[in-house]
Amino acid sequence: MSFELVSDKMVLDQKIGKETTQLLLEGDIIVPDVKPDMSLILQTDAKINFNNVEAAQDRVNFNGNLEITMLYLSKGSETPVHSIKTMLPIDDFINVDGATRDMWAEIQSEFTNIDYKVLNDRKVSYRVVADVTTDVSAVFEHPYVSEIKELPEEQSLKSTIEMSRIVEAKKDKFVIKDELSIPQGKPNIREVLQSYGTITNKEVKTSNGKINISGELLISTIYISDVDDSLIEHVENEIPFNGVIELKNAKEDMICDCNIGIKSQAVQVRPDADGEERVLDVEVEVAVSAKVRSEEKMQLMEDAHCINKNIKLKKNLIEYPKFVCRNKNQSNIKEIVQLNSNCPEILQIFRVDGKPHIDNLKILEDKVVAEGIITTDVLYIAKNDETPLYGYQTIIPFKQVIETKGASDGMDVDVHTAVEHIGFNMLSGNEVEVRFLLSFNTNVMEYKYFNLITDLEIEDLEKGVVDKMSSMTIYICEPGDTLWKIAKRYNTTIDEIATLNEIENISRLNSGQKLLILKKVA
């Protein structure tokens, strides 16, 4: 009897490596000639923008810039508060063993330390330490034998596996544009000191051929009024947005893992219909890194046997991800911030900012515990003519228990946290109650293994092997026994054993159960 093999290919994404390096960026910031001398740094903000991230041989190359925005108190100027914005280039790499040029690489950064020092009234030194983490993955084709033609179905053992598979990954961007008007009652704009954008209430929906991204862009602007050079004003605007990223293989029932962030932001002041400087033209470029996953069940051949034949199987051990749980929840964090004794008292709070960071993740049975901190900035008008604006930074801890049904220790968990809303209330001249609404987007994956049959050889049993088998055997079942395993061991079939022993449910055997097995000759 000749057998024909039917082959197929399985496409799987595979984790190649995840590496973190520490990036040290230091140098000097020079106050531009058009700006007055510096007396005191009031507030700073820093972020890293990545322009290009590419996998290469055993490494990931990246470039971009470090963007630093600084508010400072001037010396001997009619306008007391000024701003500086500087961009500093970054070009570096991270070693990742096994990476190649055609692989998918993602990158994230997080500041661990930021120091500024005023060297003189025209120069500030900075020292920034950031952890840069890259994830590298690739898509591989795994050939396997899906069927042996002419072999009776009951002599082929098949297993069903559940796997999560990336069907498409893409990096893209879209632009949010809007015109924002200064509210009535607020003076006209003389100069914008700082404009800060954050994305909140993000929603990602997968549909056929695309993903839809919606949310709100919160623009917080601090400016000097044209009424009084010392008068500083603050306005906030919310811009609802919708963006579309084309993904041709996406389907409505698929899951999308999506990282969304502001890549660049530009704000220009222009006159309104009456010729007054009361309109802000906002243009924000949003960067998107998306992976669309399909949850699939596959029936794969695990083993095979044939009467009076010896089947030698060639196998390839593969690792595949199984989707366990996806959860999105929110938590309210409330804390009273007490200013240090050397800080000026608060007259009016302009803005509170928060950047969450998860320090520790612990997986328990059916839950994940996330612990971390919120780096909190309070920007306020002070009861001090010499220091009209002041920034205070502190750290607020948080702990969140996330329900993740099916999760257990050893699984792969990814938790992304973001600030969705910030509230604050001034309690006294040196106390502020701050409230953060944090969102937690959690994915739990389990990585499992399976031996794919890639090829096989079928040959006749050696002469005398069948002859040496007992004509009749009484077999006592042991834990873990199946009729398929017993049939293979004794060169017979499941039907033969079941019929002879009047077994109705062939999927169930009891430990200690006795079976009569007769030798079967083809």
Side-chain angles (χ1 to χ4, degrees):
M1 179 184 294
S2 60
F3 296 94
E4 180 185 347
L5 304 184
V6 179
S7 297
D8 204 344
K9 289 181 179 179
M10 178 187 296
V11 180
L12 280 177
D13 53 289
Q14 182 178 326
K15 294 189 300 180
I16 301 301
K18 181 176 183 178
E19 299 293 340
T20 299
T21 189
Q22 198 165 72
L23 201 62
L24 174 62
L25 304 167
E26 52 187 351
D28 296 328
I29 300 173
I30 307 299
V31 177
D33 292 339
V34 296
K35 298 282 186 178
D37 290 350
M38 179 180 294
S39 171
L40 177 70
I41 296 175
L42 299 175
Q43 191 195 46
T44 58
D45 183 61
K47 66 176 182 176
I48 292 177
N49 300 313
F50 295 105
N51 295 327
N52 293 300
V53 180
E54 293 179 342
Q57 188 64 46
D58 294 323
R59 63 194 279 176
V60 171
N61 301 318
F62 61 90
N63 63 55
N65 57 70
L66 170 67
E67 180 181 311
I68 296 176
T69 306
M70 183 179 296
L71 292 178
Y72 73 90
L73 190 67
S74 65
K75 262 184 190 178
S77 172
E78 293 182 358
T79 306
V81 179
H82 292 265
S83 64
I84 301 174
K85 184 175 182 179
T86 186
M87 308 278 277
L88 305 149
I90 297 171
D91 195 343
D92 212 328
F93 67 91
I94 302 175
N95 291 318
V96 182
D97 290 341
T100 59
R101 188 176 297 276
D102 58 341
M103 292 181 178
W104 171 270
E106 289 185 291
I107 202 164
Q108 292 182 331
S109 65
E110 198 162 62
F111 295 112
T112 57
N113 189 51
I114 304 177
D115 286 325
Y116 300 94
K117 185 178 180 181
V118 178
L119 300 178
N120 56 53
D121 52 16
R122 307 297 296 177
K123 185 188 287 188
V124 178
S125 71
Y126 67 89
R127 188 177 188 274
V128 175
V129 180
D131 284 340
V132 179
T133 301
T134 184
D135 275 285
V136 180
S137 59
V139 175
F140 293 103
E141 287 186 344
H142 298 279
Y144 67 97
V145 175
S146 61
E147 183 184 352
I148 306 173
K149 287 191 174 180
E150 308 301 331
L151 184 70
E153 186 177 346
E154 67 168 17
Q155 294 176 38
S156 175
L157 179 62
K158 293 190 176 182
S159 294
T160 300
I161 65 171
E162 298 179 23
M163 67 171 63
S164 176
R165 185 171 66 86
I166 294 176
V167 297
E168 192 171 357
K170 188 177 183 180
K171 294 175 184 176
D172 208 338
K173 60 187 178 183
F174 61 88
V175 176
I176 303 171
K177 290 184 179 181
D178 207 347
E179 298 177 356
L180 307 177
S181 298
I182 300 299
Q184 293 295 323
K186 292 277 187 181
N188 296 346
I189 302 171
R190 179 174 180 266
E191 179 189 348
V192 172
L193 290 174
Q194 187 185 77
S195 188
Y196 184 77
T198 53
I199 294 176
T200 63
N201 300 320
K202 297 182 290 287
E203 292 289 342
V204 179
K205 291 184 179 179
T206 309
S207 58
N208 294 333
K210 61 186 177 181
I211 59 170
N212 299 285
I213 302 169
S214 62
E216 292 176 349
L217 173 64
L218 178 64
I219 299 291
S220 175
T221 305
I222 297 172
Y223 71 93
I224 299 172
S225 78
D226 66 349
V227 176
D228 184 348
D229 287 344
S230 64
L231 185 61
I232 300 171
E233 293 287 345
H234 173 247
V235 292
E236 285 192 346
N237 300 88
E238 287 185 358
I239 306 173
F241 69 87
N242 287 281
V244 176
I245 304 297
E246 302 293 332
L247 287 162
K248 62 181 181 180
N249 295 320
K251 302 294 181 186
E252 190 172 345
D253 59 345
M254 293 180 180
I255 295 172
C256 183
D257 297 328
C258 196
N259 291 323
I260 306 166
I262 294 175
K263 186 175 183 180
S264 65
Q265 175 182 325
V267 176
Q268 298 291 331
V269 183
R270 68 172 177 84
D272 61 10
D274 298 325
E276 297 182 326
E277 301 287 324
R278 300 187 62 82
V279 177
L280 295 171
D281 280 337
V282 177
E283 183 172 323
V284 174
E285 187 178 70
V286 179
V288 179
S289 178
K291 290 181 180 179
V292 177
R293 291 186 170 274
S294 172
E295 306 305 314
E296 300 176 0
K297 289 185 179 181
M298 293 187 68
Q299 194 174 54
L300 301 171
M301 189 163 63
E302 183 180 346
D303 202 353
H305 77 95
C306 183
I307 304 302
N308 287 359
K309 300 286 184 180
N310 184 26
I311 299 181
K312 294 181 180 179
L313 302 175
K314 294 181 180 180
K315 296 185 177 183
N316 176 34
L317 184 65
I318 62 164
E319 182 184 45
Y320 65 93
K322 178 187 176 184
F323 182 79
V324 176
C325 179
R326 182 184 183 93
N327 193 2
K328 181 177 180 179
N329 60 359
Q330 295 180 329
S331 176
N332 286 295
I333 310 296
K334 185 169 71 172
E335 187 79 12
I336 295 176
V337 174
Q338 180 83 39
L339 302 187
N340 293 336
S341 58
N342 58 347
C343 295
E345 287 193 6
I346 302 169
L347 178 64
Q348 178 188 347
I349 299 171
F350 263 177
R351 188 179 70 223
V352 175
D353 296 324
K355 295 179 181 178
H357 167 69
I358 295 175
D359 292 317
N360 184 45
L361 280 176
K362 187 183 295 183
I363 305 177
L364 305 175
E365 199 70 30
D366 293 330
K367 63 185 67 175
V368 171
V369 180
E371 295 179 306
I373 58 170
I374 306 171
T375 302
T376 306
D377 279 294
V378 180
L379 186 66
Y380 64 93
I381 294 178
K383 290 181 182 178
N384 188 327
D385 292 337
E386 296 179 357
T387 311
L389 196 66
Y390 201 81
Y392 180 74
Q393 187 176 89
T394 188
I395 291 173
I396 296 174
F398 68 84
K399 181 178 180 179
Q400 178 72 8
V401 178
I402 305 164
E403 297 297 325
T404 50
K405 188 175 181 180
S408 61
D409 189 26
M411 293 183 179
D412 191 76
V413 61
D414 177 62
V415 179
H416 178 74
T417 183
V419 174
E420 298 296 341
H421 179 75
I422 300 174
F424 55 85
N425 185 32
M426 178 179 163
L427 301 179
S428 67
N430 56 15
E431 282 186 328
V432 182
E433 182 189 73
V434 295
R435 301 177 301 278
F436 293 99
L437 178 62
L438 294 186
S439 65
F440 296 86
N441 290 328
T442 307
N443 285 333
V444 181
M445 306 285 285
E446 181 182 12
Y447 284 84
K448 308 186 78 172
Y449 295 91
F450 189 85
N451 268 309
L452 282 180
I453 298 175
T454 57
D455 201 357
L456 54 88
E457 295 178 2
I458 302 177
E459 57 186 25
D460 291 333
L461 288 175
E462 293 182 10
K463 189 177 181 180
V465 171
V466 177
D467 294 338
K468 292 178 182 179
M469 292 181 181
S470 301
S471 299
M472 181 184 297
T473 302
I474 301 296
Y475 180 79
I476 301 175
C477 295
E478 297 179 353
D481 274 339
T482 64
L483 282 181
W484 197 93
K485 291 179 181 179
I486 296 170
K488 179 183 178 181
R489 178 177 175 181
Y490 287 98
N491 193 43
T492 185
T493 67
I494 292 174
D495 284 345
E496 290 283 345
I497 300 175
T499 302
L500 190 61
N501 293 273
E502 298 181 347
I503 298 174
E504 294 182 359
N505 186 357
I506 62 173
S507 63
R508 181 179 177 182
L509 291 177
N510 298 318
S511 180
Q513 182 178 350
K514 294 180 180 180
L515 299 177
L516 174 62
I517 301 172
L518 300 181
K519 181 169 69 174
K520 182 175 178 62
V521 180

